[in-house]
Amino acid sequence: VTRPGSFSGTRSMAVAKLFTRKNVALGRYRLELNAGARSSTIYFDVVKAVKTTTVRVSAGDAHSCALISGGKVKCWGDNHLGELGNGGKVDSTAPVAAKGITNAKVVTTGTFTTCALISGGKIKCWGDNSHGKLGAGPNYPSMSSLPISVSGIAHAVGVSSGADHSCALLAGGTVRCWGRNNSG
Protein backbone atom coordinates (compact mmCIF):
# COMPACT_ATOMS: atom_id res chain seq x y z
CA VAL A 1 0.00 0.00 0.00
CA THR A 2 1.43 3.38 -0.94
CA ARG A 3 0.86 6.32 1.38
CA PRO A 4 1.97 9.62 -0.21
CA GLY A 5 3.19 12.56 1.82
CA SER A 6 6.18 13.53 3.85
CA PHE A 7 7.15 13.92 7.50
CA SER A 8 10.20 14.24 9.68
CA GLY A 9 10.84 12.60 13.03
CA THR A 10 8.44 9.87 14.09
CA ARG A 11 4.95 9.19 12.88
CA SER A 12 2.26 6.90 14.25
CA MET A 13 -0.16 5.19 11.92
CA ALA A 14 -3.00 2.81 12.69
CA VAL A 15 -2.18 -0.71 11.51
CA ALA A 16 -5.44 -0.76 9.57
CA LYS A 17 -4.06 1.97 7.30
CA LEU A 18 -1.13 -0.25 6.32
CA PHE A 19 -3.29 -3.10 5.09
CA THR A 20 -5.80 -3.16 2.27
CA ARG A 21 -7.87 -5.91 3.88
CA LYS A 22 -9.83 -5.32 7.07
CA ASN A 23 -8.46 -8.20 9.16
CA VAL A 24 -4.78 -8.42 9.99
CA ALA A 25 -3.67 -12.04 10.19
CA LEU A 26 -1.10 -13.33 12.65
CA GLY A 27 2.30 -13.62 11.00
CA ARG A 28 5.43 -11.81 9.85
CA TYR A 29 5.13 -8.58 7.86
CA ARG A 30 7.54 -6.32 5.99
CA LEU A 31 7.11 -2.55 5.83
CA GLU A 32 9.19 -0.65 3.28
CA LEU A 33 9.71 3.06 3.82
CA ASN A 34 10.94 5.03 0.79
CA ALA A 35 11.95 8.67 0.60
CA GLY A 36 13.54 9.55 -2.72
CA ALA A 37 16.68 7.44 -3.13
CA ARG A 38 16.68 6.36 0.54
CA SER A 39 14.73 3.41 1.87
CA SER A 40 14.40 1.35 5.01
CA THR A 41 12.74 -1.98 5.63
CA ILE A 42 11.11 -2.85 8.95
CA TYR A 43 10.07 -6.40 9.78
CA PHE A 44 7.47 -7.02 12.46
CA ASP A 45 5.44 -9.92 13.79
CA VAL A 46 1.78 -9.90 14.69
CA VAL A 47 1.77 -12.51 17.46
CA LYS A 48 -1.53 -11.87 19.18
CA ALA A 49 -4.51 -9.75 18.34
CA VAL A 50 -5.33 -7.14 20.96
CA LYS A 51 -9.09 -7.35 21.51
CA THR A 52 -9.70 -3.61 21.76
CA THR A 53 -9.25 -0.81 19.30
CA THR A 54 -5.58 0.10 18.98
CA VAL A 55 -5.09 3.84 18.74
CA ARG A 56 -1.28 4.11 18.34
CA VAL A 57 1.71 1.76 18.26
CA SER A 58 5.35 2.62 18.96
CA ALA A 59 8.39 0.35 18.49
CA GLY A 60 11.56 0.63 20.58
CA ASP A 61 14.84 -1.24 20.24
CA ALA A 62 13.46 -4.68 21.17
CA HIS A 63 9.98 -3.92 22.51
CA SER A 64 6.77 -2.36 21.24
CA CYS A 65 3.80 -0.70 22.93
CA ALA A 66 0.24 0.07 21.90
CA LEU A 67 -2.09 2.74 23.23
CA ILE A 68 -5.44 1.01 23.61
CA SER A 69 -8.81 2.76 23.54
CA GLY A 70 -9.67 3.91 27.04
CA GLY A 71 -6.10 5.07 27.72
CA LYS A 72 -4.40 1.80 28.67
CA VAL A 73 -0.93 0.90 27.38
CA LYS A 74 0.05 -2.67 26.50
CA CYS A 75 3.64 -3.64 25.67
CA TRP A 76 5.43 -6.76 24.46
CA GLY A 77 8.97 -7.90 23.64
CA ASP A 78 12.19 -7.53 25.61
CA ASN A 79 11.80 -6.57 29.27
CA HIS A 80 15.24 -6.97 30.87
CA LEU A 81 15.22 -3.31 31.98
CA GLY A 82 11.50 -3.08 32.77
CA GLU A 83 10.54 -1.50 29.44
CA LEU A 84 7.12 -3.25 29.43
CA GLY A 85 6.07 -1.42 32.61
CA ASN A 86 4.33 -4.42 34.19
CA GLY A 87 6.46 -4.52 37.34
CA GLY A 88 8.66 -7.39 36.18
CA LYS A 89 11.72 -8.10 34.05
CA VAL A 90 10.46 -11.15 32.09
CA ASP A 91 10.16 -10.85 28.30
CA SER A 92 6.68 -11.33 26.80
CA THR A 93 5.53 -12.18 23.27
CA ALA A 94 1.95 -11.33 24.30
CA PRO A 95 0.92 -7.76 25.14
CA VAL A 96 0.99 -7.00 28.89
CA ALA A 97 -0.54 -3.96 30.60
CA ALA A 98 1.70 -1.21 31.91
CA LYS A 99 0.69 -0.95 35.58
CA GLY A 100 -1.20 2.13 36.65
CA ILE A 101 -1.57 3.60 33.15
CA THR A 102 -5.29 4.05 32.55
CA ASN A 103 -5.62 7.49 31.00
CA ALA A 104 -2.78 7.81 28.47
CA LYS A 105 -3.11 10.01 25.39
CA VAL A 106 0.22 9.17 23.69
CA VAL A 107 2.77 6.35 24.02
CA THR A 108 6.34 6.56 22.74
CA THR A 109 9.31 4.19 22.95
CA GLY A 110 13.07 4.69 22.89
CA THR A 111 15.92 2.26 23.40
CA PHE A 112 14.79 0.17 26.40
CA THR A 113 12.48 3.00 27.60
CA THR A 114 8.77 3.79 27.27
CA CYS A 115 6.94 7.05 28.06
CA ALA A 116 3.25 7.95 28.10
CA LEU A 117 1.51 11.31 28.09
CA ILE A 118 -1.22 11.12 30.72
CA SER A 119 -4.48 13.08 30.78
CA GLY A 120 -3.87 16.32 32.63
CA GLY A 121 -0.46 16.93 31.02
CA LYS A 122 1.88 14.73 33.07
CA ILE A 123 4.31 12.21 31.57
CA LYS A 124 5.25 8.83 33.03
CA CYS A 125 8.23 6.76 31.87
CA TRP A 126 9.58 3.30 32.65
CA GLY A 127 12.51 1.06 31.70
CA ASP A 128 16.19 1.98 31.44
CA ASN A 129 17.26 5.09 33.36
CA SER A 130 20.86 5.33 32.14
CA HIS A 131 21.64 8.94 31.18
CA GLY A 132 18.47 10.04 33.04
CA LYS A 133 16.13 8.64 30.36
CA LEU A 134 13.23 8.37 32.82
CA GLY A 135 13.39 12.06 33.73
CA ALA A 136 13.12 11.30 37.44
CA GLY A 137 16.19 13.23 38.58
CA PRO A 138 19.81 12.30 39.23
CA ASN A 139 19.28 10.14 42.33
CA TYR A 140 16.84 7.64 40.79
CA PRO A 141 17.92 3.97 40.33
CA SER A 142 19.25 2.68 37.00
CA MET A 143 15.86 1.28 35.91
CA SER A 144 12.18 1.10 36.82
CA SER A 145 9.80 -1.68 35.78
CA LEU A 146 6.87 0.51 36.87
CA PRO A 147 5.81 3.87 35.40
CA ILE A 148 7.17 6.91 37.28
CA SER A 149 6.42 10.61 36.78
CA VAL A 150 8.87 12.79 34.89
CA SER A 151 10.07 15.59 37.21
CA GLY A 152 9.03 19.13 36.41
CA ILE A 153 6.69 18.30 33.53
CA ALA A 154 3.17 19.69 33.75
CA HIS A 155 0.75 20.73 31.02
CA ALA A 156 2.40 18.58 28.32
CA VAL A 157 0.47 18.15 25.08
CA GLY A 158 2.89 15.79 23.34
CA VAL A 159 5.85 13.49 23.96
CA SER A 160 8.35 11.78 21.67
CA SER A 161 11.35 9.55 22.40
CA GLY A 162 14.63 9.06 20.60
CA ALA A 163 17.20 6.38 21.30
CA ASP A 164 18.39 7.74 24.66
CA HIS A 165 16.24 10.83 25.30
CA SER A 166 12.66 12.09 25.29
CA CYS A 167 11.09 15.51 24.75
CA ALA A 168 7.75 16.94 25.81
CA LEU A 169 5.85 19.66 23.99
CA LEU A 170 4.22 21.83 26.63
CA ALA A 171 1.07 23.90 26.30
CA GLY A 172 2.21 27.28 25.06
CA GLY A 173 4.77 25.82 22.65
CA THR A 174 7.89 25.28 24.77
CA VAL A 175 9.80 21.99 24.70
CA ARG A 176 11.56 20.24 27.61
CA CYS A 177 13.89 17.29 27.06
CA TRP A 178 15.67 14.78 29.30
CA GLY A 179 18.12 11.91 28.87
CA ARG A 180 21.39 11.62 27.00
CA ASN A 181 22.74 14.80 25.42
CA ASN A 182 25.84 13.50 23.63
CA SER A 183 24.79 15.07 20.32
CA GLY A 184 23.20 18.26 21.61
Side-chain angles (χ1 to χ4, degrees):
V1 175
T2 301
R3 297 286 175 220
S6 63
F7 67 93
S8 63
T10 61
R11 180 177 177 186
S12 297
M13 180 182 292
V15 172
K17 290 185 179 183
L18 297 175
F19 296 92
T20 55
R21 60 181 190 253
K22 289 188 178 189
N23 293 324
V24 178
L26 300 181
R28 185 161 191 83
Y29 291 90
R30 182 185 76 211
L31 175 64
E32 292 182 11
L33 305 171
N34 297 299
R38 299 184 68 181
S39 67
S40 293
T41 303
I42 299 171
Y43 294 92
F44 63 96
D45 295 317
V46 176
V47 295
K48 182 177 180 181
V50 180
K51 295 185 181 190
T52 57
T53 304
T54 300
V55 178
R56 297 188 193 276
V57 176
S58 184
D61 186 63
H63 76 290
S64 298
C65 294
L67 176 62
I68 306 301
S69 62
K72 293 185 180 181
V73 172
K74 290 193 175 186
C75 302
W76 59 96
D78 190 49
N79 195 30
H80 74 282
L81 290 169
E83 52 265 58
L84 302 186
N86 65 340
K89 291 176 35 176
V90 177
D91 299 349
S92 179
T93 57
V96 296
K99 288 193 176 191
I101 303 294
T102 58
N103 53 357
K105 298 294 183 192
V106 176
V107 65
T108 182
T109 54
T111 304
F112 313 118
T113 306
T114 307
C115 293
L117 170 63
I118 307 301
S119 291
K122 297 211 179 261
I123 295 174
K124 292 190 175 187
C125 297
W126 55 94
D128 179 22
N129 193 35
S130 63
H131 310 291
K133 291 193 288 185
L134 298 182
N139 297 323
Y140 203 81
S142 64
M143 59 82 61
S144 177
S145 60
L146 293 170
I148 59 172
S149 293
V150 175
S151 294
I153 299 291
H155 312 296
V157 295
V159 64
S160 183
S161 295
D164 290 325
H165 72 286
S166 295
C167 294
L169 173 63
L170 305 180
T174 60
V175 174
R176 298 222 22 219
C177 299
W178 59 95
R180 192 171 186 180
N181 191 28
N182 63 320
S183 298

